[in-house]
Amino acid sequence: MTVAEKSWTGNIDLGSNKDVLFNQLCDAFNASPFYQYCGMQMRVMDGQIEAYVEMQKDLIGNVAFQILHGGVAATILDSIGGITAMGELYKKASSEDMEETSKKVSRLATVDMRVDYLAPGRGKYFTARAETLRLGRKGCTMRMTLINDEAKPIATAIASYAY
């Protein structure tokens, strides 16, 4: 494996301000072939990372009711939880800790996730955000919420990530 393959988050400028750092993380995620296939994007809105996906026929799970597939909702929630956790790790790190923090970020993986589906996935587009419940030395716990274009909660999740 080359250094570039090991450092999938790209050439993140760890000395950057929060918005620049978050944008760099989003660019790394948005380069994923899977995200491109699904039309999912990570972006920075109001100083926070947000996942965004427009409703497309390929994402419909229930054809009769034209609603978003639950697996797509879970994927968006897991993804926003992970990228937000990465951003929080970088924000918390001192300049002396950046090398170790980069290693943690590159190892971050979902350990467990529970999704609660609150309403049918109807909408023109969907966004998701995450909040940190706990950020520890070896892992973290995040809470994520997916809403539709009318700000109606569609699904929520709590996940544990290890690094």
Side-chain angles (χ1 to χ4, degrees):
M1 223 180 222
T2 67
V3 173
E5 289 170 330
K6 288 181 183 177
S7 180
W8 66 269
T9 54
N11 195 10
I12 303 254
D13 180 3
L14 302 175
S16 298
N17 71 38
K18 181 176 73 170
D19 283 346
V20 171
L21 180 76
F22 284 179
N23 277 314
Q24 291 173 345
L25 279 172
C26 289
D27 290 345
F29 266 71
N30 292 339
S32 162
F34 179 72
Y35 288 176
Q36 291 173 4
Y37 175 78
C38 294
M40 187 166 53
Q41 297 176 333
M42 296 294 173
R43 60 190 188 182
V44 179
M45 300 295 290
D46 304 320
Q48 190 175 3
I49 299 175
E50 174 180 271
Y52 173 85
V53 66
E54 291 184 10
M55 179 56 115
Q56 306 167 46
K57 66 178 178 80
D58 293 341
L59 302 181
I60 292 172
N62 184 321
V63 179
F65 293 103
Q66 298 290 299
I67 60 174
L68 188 70
H69 190 284
V72 175
T75 298
I76 294 167
L77 292 168
D78 186 24
S79 298
I80 193 63
I83 192 172
T84 300
M86 291 174 182
E88 291 301 310
L89 284 168
Y90 278 130
K91 278 177 22 185
K92 179 181 134 180
S94 68
S95 56
E96 297 83 33
D97 297 332
M98 281 302 180
E99 186 175 336
E100 182 61 31
T101 299
S102 290
K103 289 178 185 175
K104 284 182 179 182
V105 166
S106 69
R107 292 189 307 254
L108 190 135
T110 308
V111 175
D112 185 56
M113 185 171 82
R114 176 198 161 93
V115 178
D116 291 309
Y117 298 96
L118 307 173
R122 291 189 184 96
K124 296 175 186 166
Y125 63 86
F126 303 90
T127 58
R129 290 194 177 190
E131 64 177 311
T132 306
L133 299 178
R134 181 183 179 279
L135 192 66
R137 288 184 309 112
K138 296 184 179 188
C140 63
T141 304
M142 308 295 288
R143 179 182 301 142
M144 301 81 73
T145 303
L146 176 71
I147 62 172
N148 68 7
D149 56 308
E150 297 175 351
K152 181 177 183 177
I154 301 300
T156 188
I158 292 182
S160 298
Y161 299 88
Y163 34 79

